[in-house]
Amino acid sequence: MNVRIKFLGATQTVTGSKYILDVDDYRIMVDCGLFQGLKELRVRNWQSFPVAASSIDVVLVTHAHIDHVGYLPRLCKDGFAGKIYCSEASADLIPMMLADSAKLQEEEAEWAARKGYSKHDKPQPLYTVQDAARVTPLLHPVAMDEPFALLPNVLFTLRDAGHLLGAAIIELELLGERMRKKITFSGDLGIQHDPLLYPPTPISNTDVLLIEATYGDRDRPEIDAKETFAQAVEEALDRGGCLIIPAFAVGRTQTLLHYLKELFLEKRLKPCPVYVDSPMAIKATRLYERHLDIYRHHDAPFSQHGFFEFPNLQFCSDQEESMRINGVKSGAIIISAGGMMSGGRILHHLFNRLPRPQDTVLIVGHQGEGTRGRDLLEGHDHIKIFGESVPVRCQVKAIDGMSAHADQSQLLDWAKQFTEPPKRTFIVHGEKASAQVFGQLLKEQLGWSTVVPEYLESFSLFEGI
Ligand SMILES: [Zn+2]
């Protein structure tokens, strides 16, 4: 058996995770992510795919974030028709994530057409909502911790990665004629003390490891996220206005609801109305409730029904309810998507609230370069929304340290749990500096042999096993 790997993304960058593994003439793709962020990366989404999509036999997916699954509709459009294996929770999340991504692609194409900034006569989306829907029948959920045979001599097992609902580490076992080998894909690794999810599963041995290094070069400040959040809520409501929290619909919104529920139950916070104003966040919360066994506190006394529900919580699914919140002038918390304030219902809330000195916007997630969220974080006094320049007179606060990614120390701690060093370790899913620093750290502290691969680079992993 001969095995080769080719890196089609997440090389010296954090998006576009895609790896092609050739096991003799059987072709496995691991993750199928979209490139995001800088234009020089995004253009890769439009380039012809480096291998024929129809030559791929199966896709294995670590988790439902768009930088790991967002290229799937395009792959299918280009001729991939095999099975896509993922965890049960991922199979629930992926259709929703892809539909949302497709909607954004369609809106962008429409915007480009209207503004005439596209080189094409009629700008096309990378894929449509219809294209995204074609991925769903190909999804095959697989139970965690149970080996699954792709071929009699090629097996994989999913292990909880603690990063997002359903996120998995993939252990791929190759039963060669002469020896067994293992390749492990870390996917994105979660933190040690996530309020909802378990920490990433320790892996004891592997021949080849692909490890993420999003925070490979830094540690985050250690904060008590729940208490910091409680203080921010208190301060904001004491000002006599409302608190607006732009949050990602999947993951961050549920963490905030969990904190709020606990803080109200513990009487740490006075009861107040909480609005979740995002159809996607509401859908995601329902999906989260279908997978309670995944949580650390699934047996908590308050988890019986409506894991995330508490008195005064209101889900706003239609536009009318959403607009009605504009009339609420004080004492309420409004959680709305999207997290970087690039689109979604959060925009009309910001449009209304930014000019009000009593109100507070609390930023709880990473804000990418060039986004409204980043401008707000950097203290711009005007923000453009719906083509208008809106003055920022409200309070803008940020909590730094809430993240779904292991930081450098936690990545290193996870690596230390291997009882013997992997023969070869590829550092992926990190900016260049981050990947290099982390690779060096693994060499120096653990004596590992590490490589930071280049885009489209390929390596022979095993020959004649
Ligand atoms: Zn992720």
Side-chain angles (χ1 to χ4, degrees):
M1 187 188 269
N2 297 317
V3 183
R4 288 189 71 81
I5 191 166
K6 190 174 175 71
F7 292 85
L8 304 191
T11 48
Q12 304 175 23
T13 183
V14 293
T15 64
S17 282
K18 287 183 212 83
Y19 316 109
I20 295 282
L21 208 63
D22 286 326
V23 180
D24 291 334
D25 53 5
Y26 186 66
R27 181 161 270 180
I28 304 169
M29 182 169 185
V30 177
D31 278 347
C32 188
L34 204 65
F35 284 104
Q36 294 170 301
L38 297 174
K39 196 170 177 203
E40 66 211 62
L41 291 173
R42 282 185 285 123
V43 291
R44 290 180 185 168
N45 296 326
W46 293 90
Q47 288 162 358
S48 69
F49 201 59
V51 302
S54 58
S55 71
I56 299 166
D57 292 290
V58 288
V59 178
L60 311 184
V61 165
T62 60
H63 66 289
H65 276 148
I66 286 302
D67 60 326
H68 293 257
V69 298
Y71 193 82
L72 281 171
R74 186 74 189 197
L75 194 77
C76 295
K77 207 174 161 180
D78 287 353
F80 171 74
K83 288 179 177 166
I84 302 166
Y85 293 101
C86 59
S87 71
E88 286 155 344
S90 292
D92 272 353
L93 283 174
I94 290 170
M96 184 178 75
M97 301 295 270
L98 293 181
D100 185 62
S101 170
K103 215 175 95 200
L104 288 177
Q105 306 280 349
E106 286 185 7
E107 280 167 7
E108 216 166 276
E110 222 174 277
W111 179 252
R114 229 179 314 143
K115 291 285 163 187
Y117 69 60
S118 169
K119 282 185 230 110
H120 309 281
D121 292 342
K122 193 173 179 319
Q124 295 294 318
L126 188 63
Y127 49 83
T128 62
V129 171
Q130 233 175 9
D131 296 327
R134 288 197 194 104
V135 173
T136 309
L138 304 182
L139 294 171
H140 285 258
V142 170
M144 288 270 187
D145 300 315
E146 285 176 24
F148 185 95
L150 291 169
L151 296 176
N153 56 355
V154 179
L155 289 79
F156 76 92
T157 312
L158 303 179
R159 309 278 184 199
D160 191 352
H163 162 72
L164 173 83
L165 184 76
I169 297 163
I170 299 176
E171 289 183 287
L172 190 84
E173 283 180 274
L174 306 162
L175 315 181
E177 277 163 38
R178 294 170 44 230
M179 49 190 116
R180 298 167 80 110
K181 295 285 180 190
K182 185 154 94 175
I183 308 170
T184 303
F185 300 83
S186 77
D188 289 359
L189 295 169
I191 59 173
Q192 276 301 312
H193 301 287
D194 188 278
L196 291 171
L197 305 172
Y198 287 103
T201 310
I203 306 293
S204 60
N205 70 296
T206 190
D207 295 282
V208 173
L209 173 67
L210 272 73
I211 186 170
E212 70 120 330
T214 315
Y215 283 89
D217 60 346
R218 59 200 189 277
D219 277 338
R220 281 188 306 272
E222 259 184 61
I223 59 159
D224 178 346
K226 183 173 147 189
E227 180 50 31
T228 311
F229 177 58
Q231 284 169 15
V233 171
E234 237 171 6
E235 267 174 46
L237 298 184
D238 281 352
R239 294 171 55 80
C242 288
L243 171 63
I244 296 87
I245 312 176
F248 292 105
V250 181
R252 190 54 46 88
T253 294
Q254 291 73 33
T255 300
L256 295 177
L257 288 178
H258 180 71
Y259 280 149
L260 283 169
K261 182 165 183 169
E262 285 194 338
L263 291 163
F264 288 134
L265 277 170
E266 294 158 4
K267 304 205 174 8
R268 169 68 184 80
L269 286 179
K270 278 185 241 143
C272 71
V274 176
Y275 300 95
V276 174
D277 185 24
S278 150
M280 187 166 163
I282 296 167
K283 215 172 148 194
T285 304
R286 296 297 173 229
L287 285 185
Y288 265 65
E289 285 176 335
R290 279 171 54 180
H291 296 278
L292 291 184
D293 53 320
I294 289 173
Y295 307 142
R296 279 171 187 263
H297 303 294
H298 60 273
D299 51 356
F302 53 81
S303 67
Q304 267 41 355
H305 60 199
F307 185 81
F308 295 98
E309 300 229 8
F310 49 84
N312 306 329
L313 172 64
Q314 291 184 48
F315 289 110
C316 308
S317 38
D318 65 48
Q319 197 75 31
E320 223 170 277
E321 286 174 294
S322 172
M323 298 312 281
R324 221 177 290 141
I325 306 173
N326 290 341
V328 182
K329 299 296 182 216
S330 69
I333 300 171
I334 303 154
I335 302 172
S336 186
M340 292 197 205
M341 306 169 226
S342 317
R345 287 194 189 164
I346 188 64
L347 291 186
H348 88 80
H349 292 299
L350 292 174
F351 188 82
N352 275 293
R353 306 284 174 174
L354 289 180
R356 288 170 45 89
Q358 314 87 296
D359 287 344
T360 303
V361 174
L362 180 65
I363 297 173
V364 292
H366 172 75
Q367 303 299 319
E369 241 172 289
T371 59
R372 277 191 196 90
R374 177 68 75 93
D375 289 351
L376 210 53
L377 201 57
E378 286 174 351
H380 289 212
D381 54 11
H382 282 76
I383 301 283
K384 209 166 179 190
I385 303 174
F386 305 138
E388 272 183 49
S389 175
V390 181
V392 182
R393 297 198 194 98
C394 69
Q395 281 278 310
V396 178
K397 294 252 173 185
I399 298 180
D400 187 18
M402 276 195 187
S403 176
H405 277 279
D407 64 9
Q408 188 192 57
S409 304
Q410 292 174 337
L411 286 172
L412 194 62
D413 285 346
W414 185 76
K416 282 178 184 165
Q417 298 177 95
F418 283 86
T419 50
E420 49 187 306
K423 310 277 176 313
R424 219 162 178 192
T425 299
F426 295 97
I427 317 289
V428 293
H429 203 286
E431 298 298 339
K432 190 173 185 176
S434 205
Q436 283 173 344
V437 167
F438 191 59
Q440 197 56 32
L441 196 69
L442 289 174
K443 261 184 214 167
E444 283 164 12
Q445 294 219 5
L446 307 179
W448 287 16
S449 155
T450 61
V451 185
V452 178
E454 303 267 347
Y455 180 50
L456 298 183
E457 204 173 355
S458 64
F459 298 81
S460 166
L461 297 182
F462 311 115
E463 277 174 34
I465 57 168

